[in-house]
Amino acid sequence: MSDKKWRFISRYSFENGLDTSDMETFKKDPYASLAREIAQNSIDAALGNAPVRIDFQLFDIPKESVPGYSELEAEINKTWEYVADDNKDKKPLAAIRKSIQKDTIKCLRISDFNTKGLVGASTNAKGTPFYNLTKGSGVSDKGGTDGGSKGIGKFATFVASTTNTVFYSTVTVNQETGNIGICKLRSRQDGDDPDMLTEGIGYYAIGDRNAPIDGPLDLDPGFKRSDGETGTDIFIIGFKDRKGWKDEITAKVLESFMVAITDGRLEVHVDDVDITKETVASIIFDSGLMSNVGKKLRKDVEAQYELLSETEDAGVFSKDMFISEENKVTVYVKQYSSKNSDRATKHCVMVRYPYMKINYTRGYSFLPYSALCIIHKNELNKRLRDIENPQHTDWEIKRLDEEPQEKKITKALKKELENAIDAFIEEVLQQTSSESTDLEGAGEFLPAFDEVEEDNESGSVELDPTKEEISATPPQRVTPTAPRTVKTGTMSESYEFGEGGEGEGTEGKEPGGSPTPPNPNPDPVHEPREGEQIGDGDSSVLVKTQLSGMKYHLVVIDKKTGRYNIVFTSAHTEDKCELVLRQYGADADKYPVEILSASVNGDTCEIESGRIINLSLKKDVHYTIECEVGVDEMFSSEVILYAYR
């Protein structure tokens, strides 16, 4: 049998480039992909009841310590020389070449403990976990409720390597040991025959069959697995340790596996950060770690922890539900008061066994709330796993287009799940709301008033914010319920809106039930009418003209103190403008709303007779007007801008 060495397979075959689909899948967010794929694989291989532990640890080694270094460097050089200067692979190959030639190479060791290890390390038999990880693409041995199932998550480690090189070492529950190295390059000509090409993948292994090397690999000078200690070590050669990598991995572990961590099933060590059931609160709230990640991610992590750790006394309600009688799910809901509504995520995080976050769904309510749904080990879990994308970040029902019967069943179960969540969230919000809550940001879903068309016969107002008709009649004061939403993006990026409905609200009604405006008889204020001239004598004569073509969003900041934001982008350049607010009353009447004070983009506005005057605008500039009005409750309104020309 040949000695262990690097071998790059050659054959008469097609030519592979560096940007293969399995690598491209994880390039968008490499650290997040690395954290999710590693953690889910380790949880899937859990051994016994002890928590799975994962270490992410940086270390440096001399380049000569990389197994088969001379052969690996030679192959990288040959590949770089083969590629033409105008080939898109030339530049990344030059970066790989530069990285492998450094005297000292920075590596990342990822080790898991209390796991079964990669069974098959001694036999290299097809279908075993070791074989599927090192020799397979798109194949998996995992069962229906495991976290991973697509068989391509392994490529997340190569994306995080500056040399596209990774080593695997394992000790299994059967006391098998073995290690192997893999390098993913691109094809090059092998020998004199131009049709003989390498496949672009090489193994540091034994013999022409690339059998695993017996025994564990001790590559990190500061680490050695204890005798008989089961688990797997992954060594990323040339780790892309850009600034903030530790924070990104830590935050993504918390976001994706909060349920497993707080349940004591998972512990993660990221360099010098220990994430355990006992330390998670201090990491989220007491350390500076979460301040280094995006606001949206930070809010989601904090909300998940609150939902899982707080009680009904703190406003968190939970319920076990059964979908189609046998598929258990647990839902947690928390409503926030107006004082801390900025902490609400306004979505429901969807987590499936083995307790990994997949995505989130929106559209249950405009009230400030956070929710979380855990889908336990059951048939629903399996069916949802089958329609996940490769990154395990969304459920895509279209993946079953070729299996109409399975699609019908899965779609019905998914819909039943969503309806059950919707009903429980609504139940909690109704029970916990002693007063109406500001619909902060609701203006984002309403149309601009220049898009409103009045029906002269019926007096109704037709709104068309999303190309679907939603109607509201000004004389009828009602509380609108949230329009249902359907997720359209694979990463929960966008939503298409369906029809809204009318609730049973009584805001604006007297005890007898007849609708009245919040401020039915405001003091009259003088304002020039449209088309009216101002100025006399030697003064310039200006004509008041209403500006059109702009969308206004009126956002509630605090209805009790009458604080609102008016948000719009100007379609005009004007030096002298006037802004007026009006509220709808009964019988389609409109009443002026007195503006008490205001600022535009931070600069104080001039107020006269309850309206903003002398406002200067520039075309295509975004404006936020913060104002205080003389109405202390929510009202239906319109925004009007005039120019004096």
Side-chain angles (χ1 to χ4, degrees), residues 512-551:
S514 59
T516 60
N519 190 12
N521 296 299
D523 295 331
V525 293
H526 172 72
E527 60 181 48
R529 301 187 182 203
E530 186 172 0
E532 180 180 345
Q533 297 179 352
I534 62 172
D536 54 18
D538 295 330
S539 302
S540 300
V541 176
L542 301 177
V543 178
K544 180 178 179 180
T545 304
Q546 183 174 346
L547 298 178
S548 61
M550 292 188 288
K551 300 179 180 180

Side-chain angles (χ1 to χ4, degrees), residues 129-426:
F130 188 92
Y131 180 92
N132 290 338
L133 176 65
T134 60
K135 302 290 180 67
S137 178
V139 296
S140 176
D141 59 286
K142 295 186 177 182
T145 54
D146 288 335
S149 61
K150 303 301 180 183
I152 67 170
K154 63 179 75 67
F155 297 109
T157 56
F158 291 92
V159 171
S161 170
T162 61
T163 66
N164 285 26
T165 304
V166 176
F167 283 83
Y168 299 93
S169 176
T170 191
V171 178
T172 76
V173 68
N174 301 324
Q175 292 304 299
E176 299 175 90
T177 61
N179 71 86
I180 197 169
I182 304 175
C183 179
K184 287 183 62 66
L185 298 175
R186 58 123 41 235
S187 296
R188 67 166 177 85
Q189 183 177 325
D190 188 14
D192 297 330
D193 189 341
D195 293 328
M196 178 63 73
L197 301 174
T198 63
E199 290 190 343
I201 185 168
Y203 292 92
Y204 185 74
I206 294 177
D208 293 337
R209 297 192 179 190
N210 292 314
I213 301 166
D214 187 34
L217 176 63
D218 297 325
L219 196 56
D220 179 358
F223 170 77
K224 183 177 177 63
R225 191 172 284 271
S226 302
D227 291 342
E229 187 176 40
T230 62
T232 299
D233 305 312
I234 301 174
F235 302 97
I236 299 177
I237 308 302
F239 178 61
K240 297 177 181 177
D241 63 329
R242 72 177 183 223
K243 184 179 179 180
W245 73 269
K246 180 173 63 177
D247 293 350
E248 287 189 45
I249 289 180
T250 300
K252 185 54 64 170
V253 166
L254 289 170
E255 183 215 23
S256 300
F257 298 96
M258 182 66 74
V259 175
I261 293 168
T262 57
D263 196 41
R265 296 170 179 263
L266 177 67
E267 298 178 354
V268 182
H269 175 92
V270 185
D271 208 25
D272 58 353
V273 178
D274 284 308
I275 309 171
T276 67
K277 180 179 180 179
E278 291 74 27
T279 64
V280 62
S282 62
I283 292 173
I284 296 173
F285 299 108
D286 298 340
S287 70
L289 169 67
M290 296 306 293
S291 63
N292 297 324
V293 299
K295 181 180 178 180
K296 181 177 179 296
L297 177 58
R298 184 168 65 250
K299 179 188 287 189
D300 189 62
V301 169
E302 292 174 354
Q304 283 194 54
Y305 180 77
E306 290 173 352
L307 285 163
L308 293 167
S309 61
E310 294 180 354
T311 64
E312 286 190 12
D313 292 338
V316 174
F317 295 81
S318 64
K319 182 178 182 180
D320 289 335
M321 297 184 289
F322 291 86
I323 308 303
S324 291
E325 299 183 355
E326 56 187 14
N327 297 294
K328 181 181 176 181
V329 302
T330 303
V331 181
Y332 300 81
V333 180
K334 177 175 182 177
Q335 183 182 0
Y336 297 80
S337 66
S338 58
K339 293 182 179 179
N340 60 3
S341 61
D342 60 323
R343 299 180 62 82
T345 63
K346 297 183 181 178
H347 63 232
C348 181
V349 172
M350 307 299 287
V351 175
R352 75 165 184 85
Y353 183 88
Y355 307 122
M356 174 176 66
K357 174 197 170 183
I358 303 300
N359 57 15
Y360 61 78
T361 59
R362 301 182 72 114
Y364 297 110
S365 175
F366 282 136
L367 295 173
Y369 75 95
S370 297
L372 182 147
C373 173
I374 301 174
I375 304 162
H376 298 285
K377 189 175 182 179
N378 49 44
E379 179 66 18
L380 173 63
N381 192 310
K382 178 183 181 301
R383 286 186 173 276
L384 292 175
R385 186 211 66 169
D386 289 342
I387 60 172
E388 281 174 16
N389 60 8
Q391 301 95 326
H392 303 288
T393 56
D394 202 5
W395 293 314
E396 300 168 350
I397 198 71
K398 288 187 176 181
R399 289 178 174 272
L400 295 175
D401 281 351
E402 302 302 317
E403 304 176 68
Q405 186 60 30
E406 293 299 312
K407 180 179 180 180
K408 180 179 180 181
I409 296 172
T410 302
K411 188 175 182 179
L413 283 172
K414 185 171 178 288
K415 185 64 176 177
E416 185 180 348
L417 171 65
E418 292 166 352
N419 289 341
I421 295 172
D422 190 355
F424 182 55
I425 291 176
E426 183 177 355

Side-chain angles (χ1 to χ4, degrees), residues 11-13 66 73 79 82 86 97-98 105 111 117 127 174 176 178 226 436 438 465 504 513 534 537 547 552 575 622:
R11 64 178 62 184
Y12 293 107
S13 182
V66 177
E73 182 189 28
T79 305
Y82 169 75
D86 61 350
R97 184 169 176 255
K98 181 179 180 181
I105 298 178
S111 301
N174 301 324
E176 299 175 90
S226 302
S436 60
D438 296 345
E504 299 299 323
I534 62 172
L547 298 178
Y552 307 98
D575 291 330
H622 185 74

Side-chain angles (χ1 to χ4, degrees), residues 571-607:
H572 310 272
T573 296
E574 300 285 348
D575 291 330
K576 190 179 181 66
C577 296
E578 171 186 308
L579 185 144
V580 176
L581 269 179
R582 300 182 189 275
Q583 71 180 40
Y584 288 109
D587 301 323
D589 292 335
K590 299 176 184 178
Y591 301 90
V593 175
E594 184 180 11
I595 300 175
L596 304 176
S597 63
S599 64
V600 56
N601 292 352
D603 296 326
T604 302
C605 296
E606 187 176 350
I607 305 295

